């Protein structure tokens, strides 16, 4: 689950990570009142969308007077923001954060991620802040420092010193201490909230010697949400792919991708393998869809309907290994979908496992048009042929 910057910053403040003060507005006429509670000029007006690169796209604007704040808010609310991460259509700006403008001295990069190679959270720190970290990583990898937080021992003070003392030009003792305290608090927050990503870019030192998180990105591991009930209210479905929101309602694991081959599979591993084989056959998957091992007929029906709602889908590969989900249940789910939705794309079916004969029989007698593949490789080739 992704959080908005203003939500992340609220959590930061509670966790001992200083941020600028700010107020959220969702309507233009809230602006004048909001400014009264926020120090300025200057003010910074920031679009609250789940996409980075807002600065370059016009989603972060500096305003030097209350009138400028109002016109910035006006230029954002309800309008699309296009950044490198949004795609050409952009995303609608529903909310805007008005913050006190900070007088920046230096910009740093600080984040924490899960480093799967060593199965530990890793802190990433760089003196090249404010820029895209991917660019820094490819151009000057020596500027990116990494330190693991071993869950067995916790974050050690020497680790913070190791990172801070590697700076080319040293910070004041106060700023160094503040930065190391922030690092320790980042680890605590990351662990206690089951984060999958925490990113501060830029983390700045101010002209008066303070260290402040100017930006904030926080992602929570969905699998842990059951033990963070207080975070559920922070979910913003407006920011998500509508088809993914619909799939969530039925407990279907669906992720929309860029290709044109719809895929319905039971089991995440088999779904990944199916996507690989589609690519191997020279085509591109339109989605990842795992109906799950214990899928019901209704989930199969909904799965097919969701795939078909994606206008890019030109052919569908159904790859089911009948175990707990029996092949006859799959077949009935398909027929049910065909009753409500026009199956407008060729179907390629590969069924194997429990009740496979019964499943095939149901499909044969259904009047539905589909191609049967004897194995996964043939299925992928058949499906790729439909779109080539
Ligand atoms: P992003 O582009 O979506 O990552 O948005 P950021 O929150 O990182 O803002 C983009 C850039 O705007 C930052 O890297 C800063 O250079 C600048 N910026 C943001 N807030 C302030 C501020 O309070 N004062 C100043 N001087 N610059 C700011
Ligand atoms: Mn940023």
């Amino acid at each position: 689950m992704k959080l908005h910057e203003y939500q992340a910053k609220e959590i930061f403040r509670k966790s001992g990570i200083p941020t600028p003060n700010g107020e959220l507005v969702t309507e233009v006429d809230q602006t004048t009142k909001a400014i009264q509670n926020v120090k300025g000029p200057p003010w910074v007006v920031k679009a609250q969308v789940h996409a980075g690169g807002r600065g370059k796209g016009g989603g972060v604007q500096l305003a030097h007077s209350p009138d400028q704040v109002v016109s910035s808010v006006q230029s954002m609310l309800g309008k699309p923001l296009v950044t490198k991460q949004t795609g050409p259509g952009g995303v609608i700006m529903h909310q805007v954060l008005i913050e006190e403008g900070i007088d920046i001295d230096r910009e740093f990069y600080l984040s924490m991620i899960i480093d799967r190679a060593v199965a530990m959270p890793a802190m990433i720190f760089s003196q090249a802040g404010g820029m895209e970290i991917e660019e820094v990583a490819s151009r000057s990898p020596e500027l990116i420092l990494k330190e693991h937080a071993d869950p067995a021992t916790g974050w050690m003070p020497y680790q913070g010193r190791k990172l801070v003392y590697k700076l080319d030009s040293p910070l004041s003792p106060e700023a160094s201490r503040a930065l190391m305290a922030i690092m320790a608090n980042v680890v605590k927050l990351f662990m206690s909230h089951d984060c999958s990503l925490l990113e501060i870019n830029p983390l700045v030192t101010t002209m008066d010697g303070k260290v402040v998180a100017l930006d904030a990105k926080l992602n929570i591991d969905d699998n842990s949400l059951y033990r963070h009930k207080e975070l559920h209210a922070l979910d913003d479905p407006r920011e998500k792919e509508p088809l993914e929101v619909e799939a969530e309602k039925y407990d279907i694991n669906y992720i929309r991708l860029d290709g044109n081959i719809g895929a319905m599979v039971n089991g995440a591993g088999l779904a990944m393998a199916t996507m690989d084989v589609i690519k191997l056959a020279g085509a591109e998957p339109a989605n990842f869809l795992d109906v799950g091992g214990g899928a019901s007929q209704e989930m199969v029906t909904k799965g097919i309907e969701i795939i078909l709602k994606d206008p890019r889908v030109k052919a569908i590969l159904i790859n089911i290994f009948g175990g707990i989900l029996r092949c006859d249940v799959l077949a009935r789910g398909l027929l049910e979908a065909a009753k409500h939705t026009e199956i407008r794309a060729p179907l390629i079916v590969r069924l194997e496992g429990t009740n496979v004969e019964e499943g095939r029989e149901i499909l044969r007698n259904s009047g539905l048009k589909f191609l049967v593949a004897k194995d996964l490789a043939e299925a992928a080739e058949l499906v790729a042929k439909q779109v080539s």
Side-chain angles (χ1 to χ4, degrees):
M1 179 173 97
K2 292 182 180 174
L3 301 193
H4 284 296
E5 176 190 9
Y6 79 93
Q7 298 168 329
K9 281 179 167 169
E10 235 161 76
I11 297 175
F12 276 18
R13 285 190 284 273
K14 284 185 203 149
S15 311
I17 302 166
T19 74
N21 290 317
E23 290 267 332
L24 186 79
V25 298
T26 53
E27 311 274 350
V28 179
D29 50 16
Q30 297 166 348
T31 307
T32 315
K33 185 152 175 282
I35 302 173
Q36 289 166 4
N37 303 321
V38 184
K39 207 175 107 206
W43 290 278
V44 183
V45 183
K46 309 185 78 177
Q48 297 301 288
V49 294
H50 289 179
R54 296 166 301 169
K56 285 186 190 141
V60 177
Q61 297 179 13
L62 204 62
H64 297 281
S65 69
D67 284 348
Q68 264 186 23
V69 177
V70 172
S71 63
S72 278
V73 172
Q74 222 154 19
S75 75
M76 290 186 191
L77 280 179
K79 313 228 165 49
L81 174 67
V82 181
T83 80
K84 257 174 108 172
Q85 298 182 8
T86 61
V91 289
I92 300 293
M93 296 178 267
H94 296 289
Q95 316 179 85
V96 166
L97 179 64
I98 302 170
E99 279 190 338
E100 54 177 322
I102 299 288
D103 217 357
I104 301 176
D105 182 16
R106 293 170 67 181
E107 294 186 296
F108 301 94
Y109 174 95
L110 182 67
S111 73
M112 183 147 248
I113 50 157
I114 302 286
D115 187 346
R116 289 174 197 283
V118 293
M120 269 190 250
M123 182 169 292
I124 316 277
F125 177 62
S126 176
Q127 54 187 328
M131 300 178 244
E132 265 175 69
I133 198 66
E134 292 84 359
E135 216 159 284
V136 180
S138 72
R139 272 200 218 153
S140 16
E142 73 284 356
L143 291 181
I144 295 187
L145 309 176
K146 189 155 103 178
E147 203 53 51
H148 291 104
D150 191 325
T153 53
W155 181 256
M156 297 287 191
Y158 83 88
Q159 295 184 286
R161 289 196 291 276
K162 220 167 124 184
L163 293 173
V164 172
Y165 293 168
K166 272 190 196 144
L167 292 175
D168 285 338
S169 85
L171 290 167
S172 72
E174 295 75 30
S176 295
R177 269 198 295 276
L179 180 52
M180 287 185 282
I182 288 173
M183 287 173 171
N185 288 337
V186 160
V187 178
K188 266 190 226 154
L189 191 172
F190 188 90
M191 300 302 284
S192 64
H193 287 66
D194 291 311
C195 299
S196 54
L197 171 77
L198 184 163
E199 187 179 61
I200 310 174
N201 189 22
L203 174 69
V204 304
T205 51
T206 65
M207 286 304 183
D208 51 2
K210 296 198 179 76
V211 186
V212 182
L214 222 57
D215 196 4
K217 199 167 168 183
L218 199 59
N219 296 352
I220 311 289
D221 183 345
D222 288 340
N223 295 312
S224 78
L225 283 174
Y226 73 94
R227 58 182 183 194
H228 297 289
K229 299 275 188 293
E230 76 290 354
L231 298 177
H232 290 194
L234 305 183
D235 191 27
D236 187 350
R238 289 176 301 188
E239 295 287 324
K240 296 192 224 168
E241 174 66 51
L243 290 177
E244 292 179 12
V245 175
E246 194 173 337
E248 250 174 56
K249 277 191 236 156
Y250 298 97
D251 275 331
I252 297 170
N253 297 310
Y254 170 89
I255 297 164
R256 198 171 174 205
L257 304 168
D258 295 328
N260 55 10
I261 307 285
M264 183 159 86
V265 188
N266 64 327
L270 192 57
M272 302 282 266
T274 305
M275 284 162 45
D276 283 348
V277 180
I278 290 172
K279 276 179 166 277
L280 202 62
E284 291 290 329
N287 64 272
F288 168 94
L289 193 161
D290 163 24
V291 279
S296 62
Q297 182 179 319
E298 192 200 6
M299 283 166 79
V300 171
T301 305
K302 284 293 162 198
I304 283 293
E305 286 175 5
I306 287 167
I307 290 175
L308 283 164
K309 276 188 190 162
D310 180 347
R312 291 175 302 190
V313 167
K314 299 282 180 282
I316 301 176
L317 173 53
I318 297 174
N319 184 23
I320 299 293
F321 192 84
I324 305 171
L325 166 62
R326 304 183 327 247
C327 293
D328 59 309
V329 173
L330 177 274
R332 289 199 184 91
L334 268 179
L335 294 201
E336 194 58 33
K339 277 188 206 156
H340 310 290
T341 315
E342 184 211 350
I343 311 287
R344 55 166 181 82
L347 284 179
I348 288 81
V349 184
R350 183 259 180 178
L351 288 182
E352 219 37 86
T354 312
N355 292 3
V356 64
E357 282 315 324
E358 198 182 337
R360 289 193 181 135
E361 187 70 27
I362 293 171
L363 288 180
R364 261 197 302 273
N365 299 333
S366 67
L368 264 183
K369 275 207 204 93
F370 60 91
L371 299 166
V372 179
K374 66 174 186 321
D375 58 28
L376 188 46
E378 190 185 87
E381 267 162 38
L382 273 175
V383 80
K385 227 179 260 166
Q386 310 298 315
V387 297
S388 63

